Each structure stands twice: as C-alpha cells, then as structure tokens.
Amino acid sequence: MENARVTGGGQKRAVGRPRRIEAGQIVDVTRRIIQEEGVEAVSMRRVAKEVGATPMALYHHVRDKDQLLMLVLSGLAAKVPRPDLPEEPRDRLLATAVHMHAVLSEMTWVVDVLSLGDLTDKGALWMTEEIIDCAIRCGLTPRQAVHAYRTVWYVVHGALVFRRADERRAASDPGRRPFFPDLVTPADAAELPRLAALSEQWEEITGGYDVAAQLAAVVDGLLAHR
C-alpha cells in the first residue's frame, strides 16, 4: 500500500515526500548567510534548514560545501561588463588587475569565499588569462608569468581581505580605535624611529592609499625581471 493519507476532500497525498527545492533558492540562501555572517557560517545543515529541507535533500543538488560555494560563485563574472582594455601588454595587464580589484570591491562577500583557496567562477578566468598572456608578451617566461599573476592576485586579494576585516570591525564596534599607530609612542623612537616619526600622520597617509598606483609599481617591478 502506498505511503499516503486521505485529505478532507478524499484525495490522497504522499506522506514524507521531500519538499522540492530549486538551485536558485540554495544559491540565494547561501549568499545571504555569507553576506550577513561570513562564509564560516555556511554548512550543508544550515542551508538545508534555511530552505526548509533536510540535509539529505540538499545533497541531491550539491555534493559538499565546496560545490555549494562554487554554485554560489557561478555566473557572477558574467554579470559584470568587461572593460575596454588597451593594446599595449603592460598597460593591458595593469588595467585587468585594476578591474579585478574594482569588481571585488563591489562584492566583498566574494572575498570570503575566494579566501578558501581554489574556488572560483570559471567566467572570471579571463582575467587570469589576460594577466598571464600579457606578462608573456612583455617577455616573461611562462613560469615567471604565472608567478607574476599570483603576486598581482596576492596584492588585490590581500588589500580586500584587510578592507573586509575593517568593515566588519567597524560594523560591530563603531567607536573602536585601532591599536596601531597609537601603540607606538615617543618612547619607542630609539627602536622604531620611522614609525614613531610617522605615527601622528599615519591615518592621513594611509587614507590616501591608491591601489591602482601601487599595482602599477608591482607590475613594473615584476616585468623588470624579464
């Protein structure tokens, strides 16, 4: 006999049938959790609960947490128009790196996911391709070009990780003062002369940090190795 029960109208309805969930629901819920609480708050059990299903039902859609996060990243890059890039390879490389930083600056929650390692959106790999290709066209060997790409990525990603951390601290404690540069006092001048001299100007100086200009310096330094 089928596992069913009779409703008030005499119709049978299956008992225990899993609630149907859509991939879009899974993505939306996972993204919201990351945006509000960070990627560490994501788990298969948590997402299943949020969409009103069991963890087993969720496993019918995704194999594990990594695949879940890949699903969340998938298609994001396609929503961002590609910029017009210059033809000269050095300038093209730099423009791609600056674009990468600008895009992620608008989607800082993605930085949390990318921090886990090799997770990415395939649609974003055109930037990796451009940077490596331009580096080779500038005279670097393929090995040097790959290393150059990784260095550029470390600069972009590192800048955004610190920015993301600052935003979170500011949100949780608006009146918080950073330990540095107040940690350095005139008494430290003998051991830390530069920092002691700059401590009072530190916020003003760092407030004018220009990522594009610093990336240009990094790119020129990397290309000097050819």
Side-chain angles (χ1 to χ4, degrees):
M1 183 175 180
E2 293 183 2
N3 183 23
R5 68 183 181 188
V6 179
T7 64
Q11 295 178 328
K12 292 183 178 181
R13 181 174 66 82
V15 176
R17 178 178 297 171
R19 178 178 179 273
R20 182 179 178 82
I21 53 177
E22 303 292 339
Q25 290 177 280
I26 298 171
V27 169
D28 290 343
V29 166
T30 305
R31 183 176 298 155
R32 178 180 56 75
I33 293 172
I34 297 172
Q35 290 174 326
E36 294 178 357
E37 303 176 45
V39 71
E40 63 279 356
V42 174
S43 69
M44 298 291 279
R45 183 177 297 277
R46 168 74 183 278
V47 173
K49 181 180 179 180
E50 294 272 350
V51 299
T54 65
M56 187 59 66
L58 193 63
Y59 281 112
H60 287 302
H61 292 268
V62 290
R63 181 181 63 251
D64 53 24
K65 180 176 176 178
D66 278 356
Q67 190 175 31
L68 174 61
L69 294 174
M70 288 286 283
L71 186 64
V72 172
L73 292 177
S74 179
L76 283 178
K79 298 177 182 179
V80 181
R82 295 192 186 186
D84 293 327
L85 298 173
E87 288 299 322
E88 201 279 320
R90 179 267 181 194
D91 295 341
R92 191 178 185 93
L93 191 164
L94 176 58
T96 302
V98 171
H99 173 73
M100 181 189 295
H101 181 272
V103 169
L104 290 174
S105 292
E106 297 299 319
M107 298 185 290
T108 51
W109 65 270
V110 175
V111 177
D112 289 348
V113 181
L114 298 180
S115 295
L116 297 179
D118 60 350
L119 304 180
T120 191
D121 174 13
K122 186 175 181 179
L125 292 179
W126 71 266
M127 290 180 278
T128 306
E129 171 71 18
E130 282 286 358
I131 291 173
I132 292 175
D133 176 65
C134 289
I136 292 174
R137 288 168 58 195
C138 285
L140 269 59
T141 66
R143 181 182 182 84
Q144 289 173 325
V146 170
H147 288 179
Y149 161 72
R150 295 191 69 176
T151 299
V152 169
W153 169 242
Y154 293 154
V155 173
V156 169
H157 184 255
L160 291 167
V161 165
F162 278 102
R163 172 179 163 180
R164 178 81 161 144
D166 285 342
E167 289 173 349
R168 283 178 170 171
R169 283 195 293 267
S172 62
D173 185 4
R176 179 183 181 276
R177 285 277 302 170
F179 288 108
F180 184 84
D182 292 347
L183 188 64
V184 179
T185 69
D188 299 307
E191 184 178 358
L192 306 170
R194 296 295 188 190
L195 292 179
L198 293 169
S199 62
E200 293 185 1
Q201 309 168 52
W202 192 264
E203 291 186 15
E204 176 190 348
I205 293 171
T206 56
Y209 186 83
D210 185 337
V211 172
Q214 297 307 313
L215 280 171
V218 170
V219 167
D220 288 339
L222 291 168
L223 297 182
H225 288 292
R226 60 186 183 274

